Amino acid sequence: MFVGSWNVGGIPPPDNLNIEELLNTENNMADIYVFGFQEIVPLNAGNILVPENSNISMKWNSLLKAALNKRRVTEDILQRAEVGEIQRIYPIKTLSSINSSASDFECIISKQMVGIYITVWVRKELQGYISHPSVSCIGCGILGRLGNKGSVSISFCLHETSFCFVCSHLASGGKEGDERQRNADAEHILARTLFPAEPLQHLPRKILDHDRVIWLGDLNYRIYLPEATTRSLVKNKEWSILLENDQLKAELAKGRVFEGWHEKEIEFAPTYKYHQNSDDYYGSNHKIKAKRMRAPAWCDRIIWFGKGLKQIQYDRVESRLSDHRPVRAIFIAIVNVSRPLEEPGSILSNRFVDSSDHFT
């Protein structure tokens, strides 16, 4: 499974955006792609009151569709896939199916709440084994309810295993004590997220009821150091010292938030805050005037909960589109299968249940 997150700062995707680099499709093709965005629209008063902007979300989805379905498979790659170490839970493709015009990946579910947008793409061979897709939206922004901050969570079952992906944008702010509001947002999301019940089905309704849970997004946690010290350590690439003072790791270690969750070791530079179209951190280039000083931080994170997940990659991508750098991870997930692997029927519902809670 590929999981990615990107705060795009309210900037619509340009037509020449190279999203293939972000998805890393040249080097590895996953079976499931989950991508979460934050601020796909500017967080102004007009947009906060409009939960969905289909034009923007459709544009991002069309870019993902084109990148994931670009044909690049050769006979050599197919042969290596057939003897690969990872056991796939679907029949391997034949050369004739690779050369066909059908899509390799289909979007099974996507949902936007103001600036937060999550979309899930699945290899077509898996699609028939997926069931019960649903969403739940939680607003934690203005008045504690509006959708300028909060989460969009997606749930589905693959064979007999349930998955939950939480895409969130938590409270901002670099002042001392702001981390407590981020902790509170995370707790509200865990407490208030509720997926719809289905008759005669014993499906998970809460986030932590699922077998495999991954949380991605702009969590907005900063670094507990003076700004000048942080900038000096970033310049010298002293990641270990910076991470010893990372708010999320500190709050997690103290048991104040995300108890029992895991994060793979970070070996990349802080993802925030950059000057747009630049490799310079905000405020570090004296030729560019900064409105407010913002120290670098690892705001953008991917964490996970439960058993049956093995994370094998965690890095960032050098896109200059916004003031954040995207982060991405690759997981191997164990899936329970209770019936023989044969060509699936169409058990994926044509609709999904939307349990939204952005307003009171």
Side-chain angles (χ1 to χ4, degrees):
M1 300 190 306
F2 174 101
V3 180
S5 177
W6 193 5
N7 184 324
V8 294
I11 302 168
D15 294 332
N16 62 348
L17 180 65
N18 182 13
I19 207 162
E20 290 179 43
E21 179 185 0
L22 182 63
L23 298 171
N24 198 26
T25 51
E26 287 290 343
N27 299 316
N28 181 66
M29 289 300 288
D31 300 312
I32 297 174
Y33 284 81
V34 179
F35 212 91
F37 297 91
Q38 303 82 46
E39 296 189 41
I40 65 165
V41 295
L43 298 182
N44 55 44
N47 286 330
I48 288 172
L49 297 174
V50 182
E52 298 194 64
N53 182 326
S54 59
N55 291 334
I56 295 294
S57 57
M58 285 174 62
K59 190 166 186 179
W60 281 110
N61 244 18
S62 66
L63 287 172
L64 291 168
K65 180 178 182 178
L68 291 174
N69 290 297
K70 184 176 180 180
R71 297 309 165 106
R72 58 178 61 83
V73 183
T74 65
E75 185 171 359
D76 177 57
I77 291 175
L78 178 71
Q79 290 171 349
R80 283 190 278 118
E82 289 174 333
V83 296
E85 295 181 0
I86 302 171
Q87 180 185 0
R88 305 289 185 176
I89 57 169
Y90 56 83
I92 193 71
K93 276 194 167 193
T94 63
L95 279 175
S96 60
S97 65
I98 288 172
N99 294 326
S100 71
S101 59
S103 296
D104 291 330
F105 287 87
E106 300 283 349
C107 179
I108 61 162
I109 190 169
S110 63
K111 181 66 177 176
Q112 178 187 356
M113 181 186 73
V114 189
I116 303 170
Y117 179 60
I118 184 170
T119 179
V120 180
W121 293 77
V122 171
R123 193 180 291 275
K124 197 169 185 180
E125 292 90 341
L126 279 180
Q127 186 174 344
Y129 299 114
I130 288 179
S131 60
H132 310 296
S134 61
V135 301
S136 178
C137 300
I138 300 298
C140 296
I142 298 170
L143 303 176
R145 290 284 175 171
L146 296 189
N148 55 310
K149 294 293 191 288
S151 67
V152 180
S153 301
I154 280 181
S155 168
F156 62 82
C157 294
L158 172 56
H159 285 283
E160 307 304 316
T161 301
S162 59
F163 288 81
C164 182
F165 297 91
V166 182
C167 178
S168 74
H169 193 183
L170 304 186
S172 60
K175 300 190 302 296
E176 184 178 351
D178 285 341
E179 71 278 5
R180 290 194 290 270
Q181 185 57 54
R182 294 187 263 280
N183 295 350
D185 284 353
E187 291 303 316
H188 288 159
I189 289 166
L190 286 167
R192 290 164 51 195
T193 297
L194 188 67
F195 295 100
E198 294 191 26
L200 306 178
Q201 300 288 339
H202 298 288
L203 299 173
R205 301 197 64 196
K206 305 288 290 182
I207 290 172
L208 297 183
D209 292 342
H210 290 75
D211 300 313
R212 317 280 181 260
V213 185
I214 297 176
W215 190 309
L216 55 140
D218 180 357
L219 307 191
N220 252 322
Y221 286 94
R222 310 303 168 92
I223 294 172
Y224 285 126
L225 287 172
E227 182 176 329
T229 305
T230 298
R231 290 187 183 277
S232 176
L233 291 168
V234 168
K235 186 176 181 180
N236 294 323
K237 300 183 178 180
E238 299 279 0
W239 308 146
S240 59
I241 299 175
L242 287 162
L243 286 166
E244 287 173 5
N245 295 276
D246 174 75
Q247 281 185 351
L248 176 57
K249 290 188 176 298
E251 295 299 293
L252 200 153
K254 295 172 185 174
R256 294 173 177 168
V257 71
F258 294 120
E259 186 175 356
W261 290 72
H262 309 278
E263 181 180 29
K264 188 173 174 62
E265 184 179 357
I266 293 175
E267 297 178 337
F268 50 86
T271 57
Y272 174 86
K273 173 180 171 84
Y274 285 88
H275 288 289
Q276 190 184 349
N277 297 318
S278 169
D279 289 327
D280 295 323
Y281 283 104
Y282 195 74
S284 62
N285 187 337
H286 300 294
K287 295 179 181 179
I288 305 174
K289 188 176 181 180
K291 295 179 181 178
R292 287 185 293 175
M293 302 303 285
R294 298 285 175 85
W298 284 282
C299 289
D300 308 279
R301 312 291 274 264
I302 300 172
I303 60 177
W304 54 276
F305 183 88
K307 298 179 180 180
L309 287 172
K310 180 182 179 181
Q311 188 174 351
I312 58 174
Q313 180 180 323
Y314 194 23
D315 62 1
R316 59 175 243 172
V317 183
E318 302 308 316
S319 173
R320 299 174 175 177
L321 180 69
S322 78
D323 56 354
H324 289 251
R325 294 293 188 263
V327 292
R328 62 188 179 188
I330 293 179
F331 294 87
I332 296 172
I334 295 173
V335 175
N336 298 321
V337 179
S338 64
R339 61 178 183 273
L341 286 174
E342 55 191 23
E343 289 299 320
S346 181
I347 61 173
L348 176 65
S349 172
N350 290 325
R351 61 173 183 84
F352 64 87
V353 185
D354 182 352
S355 175
S356 300
D357 180 26
H358 10 280
F359 303 114
T360 310

